[in-house]
Structure formats: C-alpha cells, structure tokens
Amino acid sequence: MATDVLVNGATEILKKLGTVIAREISLAWGVKDDLAKLRQTLEMILAVMSDADKRQINDIAVRLWLRRLKDVAYDADDILDDFSNDQYMRREMHSLKHKSFFITNKYLRVLNLSGSLGKVIPTSIAKLNHLRYLDLSYSNVDSVLHHQIISSLYNLQTMVLHHCKQVLKLLENIGSLKNLRHLDLSQIDELEILPDSITNLYNLRTLDLSYNFGLEALPTNVGALKHLRCLDISSIGISELPDSITKLYNLRMLKLSILQELPRDIGELKHLRCLDLSCTEIKELPESCTKLNNLEMVNLGRECKLPKDIRNWTKLRSFVHRRELHDEMPRGIGRLTCLETLCSYLVRNKDVMEPNCLGIEELEGLNLLRELVIRNLEHVRDQIDAKRANLKGKQNIHRLNLYWSINFNEEEEEEDELNEQQSVVLEALQPHPNLKVFTIDRFMGSKLPTWMGVSSSNCLSNLVELHVIKCCRCDQLPALGQLPCLRYLAISGMDDLKYLGNELYGIGGGESSVVGEKEAAAAAATSFPSLIELSISEMKNLEEWVAPPPTAAAAVTSFPCLETIEIYSCPKLRITPTLFPSLKELRVDASNYNAISSIVRDLTSLTSLHLDKLPELIFVDSRGVHQNNNLLQDLEIYGCRNFQGFRVDGDKFEDKNDDDEALSTSLHLNISSLRSLVIRGCPALTLLPDIPGLTSLRGLTIQNCGECLKSLPYNDLYVDGK
C-alpha cells in the first residue's frame, strides 16, 4: 500500500539521520539542530502511520499525514544535502592540507579553488568523476577548455561562482549539469542577462543571484525549475518578476529587493516559508497572498501596506514591518499562536476602528512570543484591556518595547487625568519576570511602574538591558539599582527629571524603596551590582546625580562592574558620584564641565576619555600629585573651542580668558601612558604635551586647530592645522 511505501521511506531517512547525528559534526547553519527536530517529527509520524493500514485512504487525517510526510521528506532531503556537503568539505579540505597532488585523487568529492584569479585551473579536474562540490569563487574561468571541463562534471551537486570573472560562456553550457542542486552566482559584475540554459537544471534546489546589480531580468521560463527551494534575488536590478515564477511550487524562501510589484498569483507558491520584502518598493500585497498558509517568516518593511486579514497564516513565527503609525493592524493576529516575533503590534483606536476588531487584548493567547514591540499605546484607555493582553503570562518573552505616539495631544485641563490613566495602564502591562531587554519610549504618564524596581517578587529580576526614552513627564526613576542582572542602562530625554539619588538605588522615599537602616545599608552596598555600561543623554534639566549614602560598604561596592559611562547633552549636571572602581571608558558631550572633573579626579582604571563640545575646558594639567589615572591610553578632545592645550601642573600661564572665571578650568590627567591622542576642532590650541616624553604614544592626530600649529616641529607626526 501507499502507506507502506511512505513508512519505509521515512524509516530509511531516520536511519540516515541517526547516522549523521551520531557523528556530532558542528555545522555553520544550525543544521544539527534541524536534524534533531526533524528526527522527532519523523518518529511521531511513523508512530501514527503504524496503524494507517486499518483506515481508508480517503480518511482526512491520513491524507493530512501523508501530505505532511511529503513535506518532511523534502526537508530531510535538503538538510541531509547540506550536512553531507559540509561533512565532505571538512574531511576533504583537511586531507588537501597534506597532499601536494590532490587532483590525482579520482574519488575526491569536494574541491575548493577559490581565489584562482589569474591562475590556471588544472585540467585534471575533468577526471574527478565523483566530485560533488566545486568552489571557484574569485576565479577567472575565461578559457574554452575551462568551460568544457566544468560542463563535464555530471555528478556535481554544488557549484560556487561567487565574484567570478568571465563566466558567461560557462553559464550558457551549464545545462549539462543535470544533478546540480545548489548554484551560487552572487556578485558577478558582468552578469546582465541570465542564460535560458539555467532553466535546464531541473534538480536545482538553491539559486543565489544576490548582489548582481546589473541583472535586469530572470528567464521568462524560470518556472521550469520545479524543485527550486530557495531563490535569492536580493540587491539586484530586477524590478519585475516573470509570471512563471508562480509555478515554482516547491519554493520555500524568496529573498527580494528593489522590486516594485509581486505577481498577482504569488499565492500559488503554497510551500513558501519566508517572504522578505524589507528592501523592496512593493506598496501592497496581492490578494492571493492570503493563501500562503505555510508562511513562517514575513517582513513587509516600510513601504508595503499591511494586509487587511492574515488569519490564514497560522504557521507564522515572525511578523515584522515598519509601518508604525500608517496602518491598522491586520485582522486575525490573535489566531497566530505560533508567533515568536511580532514587530510591531499597532494598537487600534477603539473610537474609529472597524466593527469586529479587537484592541490590545488580541495579544492574550500569543504565549510563544519571544520578541514583542507594541506601538500607539495611548489608545489603551483602561487597565482591564491592558491586563487582558496577558504580558505577565508570556514566560518566553525576552525582548519587549513599549511605545506611545509622539503626536497624541489632549486638552490642557485633561492632562492630570491622562497622566493618571496612562500610569495605571502601564502598571497593568507588567511583563513576565523572565524579560531580558526592555524599552519604554515616550510614556505619557508621570509615574513609572513599581514592577520596574524591586517592590515585590514580580520585579524584573532577570532584566539585562533597559532603555528609558523621552518619558518627559516622569520626575523620578524606580529602584533600578537593585536589579541583580542589569548590565546596560540608557536614560534619555526625561525633561522633568532633576535628581538621581536614593530612589534610584532603592533607599528611602517612594513606594519601591527599601526601608529600614539595615536594608538601606545592604541596598547601598549592592547598588547596580552587574551594571557594565551607563548612558545618560538629552537630560536638559538634570542637575544632580548623587552616590548612595556615604557608608563604607557603599563606597566600595556601588557600580562595582561599571566600565563605560556616556553623558550627552546634560548642560545643568554639576554633581556626579566619584567612585567607579572599574571604569575604563568615559565619554562626555555637550555637558557641564563639572560632570567630568569630579568623576576623573579619583579614577584609577580609566583607559579611554572622549571630550566633545566642552567650552569650559581650557587646559589639561598633565602631571601632578592628584592624578591617579595612570592607565589612560586614548584621549580624544573634539570641538572644545576654548581649549588651549597641555601644561605641567603648577606652571604659570597667562589665561586668555582670565576675565571669565567660568572658563578658567583645568583637567588633571596623567597622560604618561597615552597611546593615542586626537584633537579636532579646537581653534585656541597652542600647547602640545611633551611628545618625546610620551614613550608609549603610537598615534597623534591634530585637525582644524587654527594656524598656530603650522610651525610646530613634528615632521613625522600627522598634524593638520587647517
């Protein structure tokens, strides 16, 4: 019976799978993981098929099993091909290292001659009757003899011609390679027309034509490649696909770019798994796309309008687009229970949305999500709908971005009500504690949620990365200092925030703070225990960033792992902590000079310092008893218009700006270990350090620093006084 044949075929594939998995060969494309998953699927189908003989062949369940088994067989065949090629490549290329005359091995299966441009390809490869894999990347195959030799390799299954020269004649005769399964024709500069002979490769599974910018069209009968699984025509000049492409019934992956329109019958590609339109100019999907029931990955990019209904894409695992405010979310999202990536979900405005559509509660059953971006959250007006989204129950979610629209306005008298409403909504959008990366952008409330800190057992105890952006109405941050796994923190555009202090560390005041003297000491002693990088930017009203209370424990262990600090556009910041025992890199741009002078003073681990647009900076005092930072290797000073240069600490020097006390500031640095010094856009520069004394210096760049440097005698250094 038909079922016996299928069972025997599946059993044979399982034997092959068992053999290759047992070899434990690590593959570049994750084939080993695919093999294990495929083996589990086959075992499940075999268990069901064991009693298939007892059923009628018109039984719907049996017919579905048979159809699925056919797909699995295709997948198994593809994966085993990739595995075998990789295995042969590793074994044979290893053996080539030990053989001078490898071409004499008539049983050779893998041959890599890439980079043979200008060299003669050995004619003896014509004797390699067992050759399966040939890589001629970056080679020149211009001779007639080369064409004849390659065209005679009838057992060849994979050929790589990436960036080859003079290949057009070879391609005209390539139709003789009937067993060819994988063909790489990427980045061939001279390729403008693809010869019709390509369509004679009936067994071709993969065709890579990417980065052929001069290629203007595919053969009109490209549909003859019935077994083609993957077609990559990204980054090429084709703006229209031939209608016959809809006959590639076994196509699984289609990579496109520049294209302006899809064929009307693209929905005939029933086995298509991946549709990537991110680099195309396609404005709208054909209606037939609703029939693509096997799609697993869709990226519509920025140009393509969102379809109205995608309820039939039930196997979809990744849905990505960049339409943001332009469209309404397709109907049927709630049925896509296999979704792992959803970027972005656009919350519908219930005041104007169509009948039978849902709001954010549509996300309730999507519990496999790993990455989720939600936009237009201003349309969520009550905590009931927010809770129904069930973010707290999505234990697989690792990355979550929450966005509010920048163009949402309310009457001034409703502002207080709006603040309270949005704060309640955000509190109800609490994610699962497994969350690793969290972004909150343009939140319209005045109070960030308690679950961002350590107020309860439901805090984000596994959070590694946090971005708080343009939450303009918030004047306080939660107790982020107690998040045990937080490694990266970015705070930006919080206009109402003036003070970073005890609340941030979880000490005193606020609902999320630690209470009691012992608790306060413990919190201070462990504040930001895992933080490695901190960025504070666009904080136009921030004045003070203070350290935890001055206990011995706090002085030793606050920010114990912090290696990088970035302070951008914080013009009023005048007080910062001073103890960062592990700090290696400090970048300060368009901020108050006091923000860096206090930090740098006591640093012992700093290796890189970047200063940009600091008008208060006049001098760097390069020696003295106060400098502990003797590990400094890279110093960059950009756009400091009043910076005059380097002087030895204590030297008297007439300050050109001595009438302005605010500009008479010096930065104490030990530069004896410098390896790189870059100064750009400092027109007042007149004093360079003692270059011969900087014995570790390997690079010196001075640009756009006025006319005064042209006479300096540094003939062997890069000095540009323009």
Side-chain angles (χ1 to χ4, degrees):
M1 294 179 66
T3 52
D4 292 333
V5 175
L6 288 171
V7 169
N8 291 336
T11 304
E12 188 63 28
I13 294 175
L14 275 174
K15 290 180 181 179
K16 294 180 181 179
L17 283 171
T19 301
V20 295
I21 291 174
R23 291 172 182 160
E24 298 183 349
I25 299 177
S26 176
L27 299 180
W29 300 303
V31 174
K32 187 176 179 181
D33 292 339
D34 289 341
L35 288 174
K37 185 185 297 184
L38 189 56
R39 184 177 187 178
Q40 293 174 0
T41 304
L42 284 170
E43 288 173 345
M44 179 184 67
I45 293 176
L46 278 175
V48 176
M49 292 294 293
S50 62
D51 68 339
D53 286 333
K54 300 177 183 179
R55 302 173 181 265
Q56 297 296 322
I57 197 63
N58 60 353
D59 189 315
I60 294 177
V62 174
R63 290 169 61 188
L64 289 174
W65 293 329
L66 298 179
R67 185 180 303 171
R68 178 59 181 160
L69 186 57
K70 180 181 178 181
D71 282 347
V72 169
Y74 278 136
D75 289 339
D77 202 15
D78 290 346
I79 294 171
L80 287 173
D81 280 345
D82 291 338
F83 195 96
S84 298
N85 281 336
D86 188 85
Q87 178 188 0
Y88 286 136
M89 173 66 80
R90 291 169 182 267
R91 187 178 67 245
E92 298 294 343
M93 294 309 295
H94 177 74
S95 65
L96 294 184
K97 295 179 182 179
H98 306 286
K99 297 182 180 180
S100 302
F101 302 98
F102 60 88
I103 299 299
T104 59
N105 182 352
K106 63 180 181 179
Y107 295 106
L108 197 68
R109 290 176 179 259
V110 175
L111 180 58
N112 188 340
L113 294 177
S114 58
S116 298
L117 189 65
K119 300 179 182 179
V120 177
I121 297 176
T123 58
S124 54
I125 66 173
K127 300 178 181 179
L128 302 179
N129 297 326
H130 296 275
L131 196 63
R132 300 290 191 271
Y133 182 103
L134 177 61
D135 188 346
L136 295 175
S137 300
Y138 301 96
S139 299
N140 194 332
V141 288
D142 58 336
S143 74
V144 175
L145 184 58
H146 290 160
H147 305 158
Q148 294 175 346
I149 292 172
I150 297 172
S151 299
S152 67
L153 299 174
Y154 302 118
N155 289 311
L156 200 62
Q157 294 183 0
T158 299
M159 183 160 64
V160 181
L161 298 176
H162 171 74
H163 215 299
C164 277
K165 303 290 186 182
Q166 306 294 326
V167 298
L168 295 184
K169 288 292 184 181
L170 171 61
L171 295 181
E172 290 176 359
N173 300 305
I174 201 171
S176 61
L177 302 179
K178 301 296 185 181
N179 290 311
L180 200 63
R181 295 189 175 192
H182 309 284
L183 178 59
D184 184 346
L185 299 177
S186 59
Q187 204 170 342
I188 299 177
D189 297 337
E190 64 195 72
L191 193 60
E192 298 179 357
I193 299 176
L194 199 63
D196 289 338
S197 57
I198 295 290
T199 61
N200 293 327
L201 302 174
Y202 302 123
N203 288 304
L204 201 62
R205 307 285 182 85
T206 304
L207 178 57
D208 187 351
L209 298 171
S210 60
Y211 294 96
N212 288 307
F213 299 105
L215 186 60
E216 299 179 352
L218 294 177
T220 55
N221 61 335
V222 68
L225 300 174
K226 301 293 186 182
H227 295 289
L228 198 64
R229 307 285 199 276
C230 178
L231 176 59
D232 189 345
I233 49 176
S234 58
S235 300
I236 64 176
I238 293 177
S239 59
E240 186 176 357
L241 295 176
D243 291 337
S244 67
I245 200 169
T246 60
K247 296 181 180 180
L248 299 175
Y249 301 122
N250 289 302
L251 198 65
R252 310 296 175 87
M253 180 176 291
L254 181 60
K255 296 183 180 181
L256 306 168
S257 67
I258 303 179
L259 204 67
Q260 298 178 354
E261 189 178 20
L262 286 174
R264 183 179 59 183
D265 295 328
I266 194 72
E268 297 300 319
L269 303 179
K270 298 293 181 63
H271 294 288
L272 196 64
R273 296 324 196 241
C274 174
L275 181 62
D276 188 350
L277 308 181
S278 58
C279 297
T280 71
E281 299 176 7
I282 294 172
K283 305 296 183 183
E284 190 171 0
L285 292 176
E287 290 185 10
S288 64
C289 283
T290 59
K291 299 190 296 183
L292 297 174
N293 299 335
N294 287 303
L295 278 175
E296 295 180 359
M297 192 286 284
V298 172
N299 189 335
L300 298 181
R302 185 183 296 275
E303 298 295 330
C304 187
K305 183 179 178 181
L306 297 182
K308 292 184 178 181
D309 196 321
I310 58 174
R311 69 185 66 192
N312 292 332
W313 295 355
T314 55
K315 296 181 181 179
L316 203 62
R317 292 188 296 166
S318 175
F319 184 48
V320 178
H321 68 88
R322 299 179 62 191
R323 296 292 289 181
E324 300 183 2
L325 304 176
H326 304 297
D327 296 349
E328 183 174 297
M329 209 63 192
R331 289 189 294 270
I333 283 286
R335 298 182 58 180
L336 309 184
T337 55
C338 294
L339 269 180
E340 297 177 5
T341 299
L342 179 54
C343 303
S344 303
Y345 179 83
L346 308 180
V347 180
R348 299 181 181 91
N349 186 346
K350 288 192 173 182
D351 296 336
V352 297
M353 72 182 185
E354 298 179 4
N356 301 321
C357 289
L358 298 174
I360 194 172
E361 64 271 20
E362 191 175 21
L363 300 175
E364 182 176 9
L366 306 184
N367 292 325
L368 295 183
L369 282 171
R370 298 177 60 84
E371 181 174 356
L372 174 62
V373 177
I374 307 178
R375 297 184 182 274
N376 302 344
L377 276 165
E378 68 277 2
H379 295 322
V380 183
R381 297 302 180 90
D382 63 70
Q383 61 178 337
I384 296 176
D385 286 346
K387 284 185 177 180
R388 287 180 61 190
N390 191 31
L391 297 189
K392 190 175 180 179
K394 302 185 192 308
Q395 62 181 359
N396 296 304
I397 198 164
H398 287 174
R399 180 183 294 270
L400 175 65
N401 293 15
L402 302 180
Y403 292 91
W404 280 254
S405 172
I406 60 173
N407 60 0
F408 181 72
N409 295 305
E410 288 283 352
E411 296 296 332
E412 189 171 326
E413 58 267 19
E414 298 180 7
E415 184 174 340
D416 291 340
E417 181 182 350
L418 174 65
N419 286 345
E420 178 64 25
Q421 180 188 81
Q422 290 299 305
S423 296
V424 170
V425 165
L426 183 55
E427 193 72 45
L429 290 173
Q430 178 178 344
H432 193 279
N434 287 344
L435 189 67
K436 297 289 178 53
V437 181
F438 180 44
T439 297
I440 178 170
D441 194 337
R442 299 182 178 92
F443 171 56
M444 303 174 66
S446 59
K447 183 180 179 182
L448 290 169
T450 56
W451 47 258
M452 285 182 63
V454 291
S455 60
S456 69
S457 59
N458 294 320
C459 72
L460 303 180
S461 56
N462 293 292
L463 195 67
V464 174
E465 184 175 329
L466 174 61
H467 301 257
V468 184
I469 305 170
K470 295 184 180 179
C471 300
C472 299
R473 297 173 180 173
C474 297
D475 59 2
Q476 181 176 308
L477 286 170
L480 305 178
Q482 298 303 299
L483 297 176
C485 298
L486 189 65
R487 295 167 63 87
Y488 177 85
L489 173 62
I491 309 168
S492 176
M494 298 183 67
D495 293 347
D496 283 359
L497 186 64
K498 297 181 179 180
Y499 179 81
L500 291 175
N502 291 347
E503 293 82 4
L504 179 65
Y505 305 110
I507 305 169
E511 296 179 8
S512 61
S513 301
V514 179
V515 295
E517 184 177 349
K518 292 182 179 180
E519 291 85 353
T526 57
S527 61
F528 294 102
S530 301
L531 195 67
I532 293 178
E533 185 171 350
L534 172 63
S535 176
I536 304 175
S537 62
E538 304 292 338
M539 306 283 279
K540 63 182 183 181
N541 291 311
L542 180 63
E543 299 176 1
E544 296 184 12
W545 168 23
V546 300
T551 65
V556 174
T557 61
S558 295
F559 304 102
C561 301
L562 189 62
E563 296 181 357
T564 301
I565 295 179
E566 298 177 344
I567 302 176
Y568 296 154
S569 299
C570 299
K572 296 183 180 181
L573 182 61
R574 55 186 176 81
I575 296 177
T576 61
T578 59
L579 293 178
F580 299 99
S582 302
L583 193 66
K584 296 180 179 179
E585 181 178 2
L586 175 62
R587 305 178 68 87
V588 183
D589 185 345
S591 298
N592 193 306
Y593 172 80
N594 293 318
I596 63 162
S597 59
S598 59
I599 294 178
V600 172
R601 185 183 303 119
D602 297 314
L603 287 179
T604 59
S605 56
L606 192 67
T607 60
S608 178
L609 178 61
H610 176 100
L611 308 176
D612 195 347
K613 296 187 284 294
L614 300 178
E616 300 95 340
L617 181 62
I618 304 298
F619 293 108
V620 167
D621 284 330
S622 55
R623 292 195 185 96
V625 296
H626 301 294
Q627 300 98 38
N628 297 318
N629 48 316
N630 56 6
L631 300 178
L632 189 64
Q633 297 183 4
D634 300 298
L635 176 60
E636 299 179 354
I637 302 176
Y638 291 174
C640 297
R641 63 175 183 269
N642 296 305
F643 178 61
Q644 297 181 26
F646 300 78
R647 65 180 182 181
V648 176
D649 188 24
D651 283 358
K652 294 183 178 180
F653 189 81
E654 183 179 356
D655 192 342
K656 293 182 179 181
N657 300 284
D658 54 7
D659 291 335
D660 188 349
E661 294 183 2
L663 294 178
S664 298
T665 44
S666 299
L667 183 65
H668 294 269
L669 289 176
N670 187 335
I671 63 172
S672 59
S673 300
L674 271 188
R675 297 179 62 86
S676 173
L677 174 60
V678 179
I679 307 175
R680 290 191 172 102
C682 300
L685 181 66
T686 56
L687 292 176
L688 286 180
D690 177 20
I691 300 298
L694 299 178
T695 57
S696 299
L697 194 66
R698 297 296 181 267
L700 173 63
T701 299
I702 304 175
Q703 288 182 300
N704 303 321
C705 291
E707 300 292 327
C708 59
L709 291 177
K710 289 188 175 180
S711 60
L712 293 177
Y714 297 116
N715 299 325
D716 296 329
L717 299 174
Y718 178 38
V719 178
D720 182 1
K722 293 182 180 179

